[in-house]
Every structure is written in structure tokens, then in C-alpha cells.
Amino acid sequence: MLVRNIEYPTTLDKIEDLENDNIDVFVTLEDGFEYVTVVSTIKNMENFVKKEGFLESGTPLIIVDYLEDNLIRRAIEFHAQDNAYWLKMDRLYVWFETEQLNEKIKQNE
């Protein structure tokens, strides 16, 4: 799916360490689907792991080497392939309660 627009609520020039941080990204797809995702650097993810020894649920799913517009765009466009399956999954998981997920699993057994 084509990515129509990408915006940053915080501009990249305001980030002190582009290799160790994360940023919210507003994405609009060609079908009008809009959402916010978090793009994180590898070093930033290492900090999450060091804190608990593992990645906690809800951590960012789009991970880049450093925060740079072209790289972020390429990563988001890659995640938008196959009708934006992974971008939509990234958003969907926060909408469902455990009971709804259990019911869906039962339907597919």
C-alpha cells in the first residue's frame, strides 16, 4: 500500500541522539487509513532490554539503526507492503481485550 504522508510531531532536529531514541510518527496511507506508530533505534531498544532483560509488550515494532527521515520512510513503506498488514497489526493490538482475542482464537481452532 502506498504511504501518502508521514509527519513527526517532534522534528528530528530536536532529538539529541539520533542513534539512541524513539519518535512518534503519524502515517497516512493511500486508502485514508491514519495512525501513529513509534519508530525506535536499535540502541534505544537495547535500553528497554537492559531494564528488564527482555522487550516488554507494547514496545515499538519499527526499529531502525538511526533516526533519519529517509530511513524512517523506507522502514514504514516496507511495513506498508501487503496491503499494510504489519502497520495495521501494530495499531490493532491495542484495540482488543483479552476476551475478544480468546474468542477469535476459538473461532479458528
Side-chain angles (χ1 to χ4, degrees), residues 56-108:
E56 296 177 8
S57 58
T59 56
L61 299 178
I62 298 180
I63 302 168
V64 295
D65 193 31
Y66 54 94
L67 297 174
E68 187 269 328
D69 184 60
N70 189 45
L71 184 57
I72 292 169
R73 287 177 183 277
R74 286 186 11 232
I76 289 173
E77 287 170 356
F78 186 85
H79 283 80
Q81 293 176 6
D82 299 322
N83 200 28
Y85 179 84
W86 289 110
L87 290 177
K88 292 176 182 179
M89 284 298 294
D90 183 26
R91 175 141 182 214
L92 262 180
Y93 83 92
V94 298
W95 289 354
F96 290 98
E97 300 291 329
T98 303
E99 292 143 6
Q100 293 171 303
L101 293 173
N102 288 339
E103 184 60 33
K104 191 66 175 167
I105 290 169
K106 286 179 186 177
Q107 291 173 1
N108 290 301

Side-chain angles (χ1 to χ4, degrees), residues 8-12 15 21-25 37-40 67 72:
Y8 308 104
T10 302
T11 57
L12 293 172
I15 297 175
D21 211 331
N22 60 70
I23 189 169
D24 291 338
V25 181
T37 191
V38 178
V39 176
S40 179
L67 297 174
I72 292 169

Side-chain angles (χ1 to χ4, degrees), residues 16-27:
E16 290 183 29
D17 187 350
L18 296 174
E19 292 183 356
N20 186 9
D21 211 331
N22 60 70
I23 189 169
D24 291 338
V25 181
F26 300 145
V27 179

Side-chain angles (χ1 to χ4, degrees), residues 47-64:
N47 290 337
F48 286 119
V49 171
K50 286 178 183 174
K51 180 180 175 188
E52 294 294 331
F54 59 91
L55 285 177
E56 296 177 8
S57 58
T59 56
L61 299 178
I62 298 180
I63 302 168
V64 295

Side-chain angles (χ1 to χ4, degrees), residues 33-51:
F33 181 77
E34 298 177 339
Y35 70 100
V36 178
T37 191
V38 178
V39 176
S40 179
T41 65
I42 294 168
K43 286 184 181 179
N44 190 244
M45 297 307 292
E46 286 175 355
N47 290 337
F48 286 119
V49 171
K50 286 178 183 174
K51 180 180 175 188

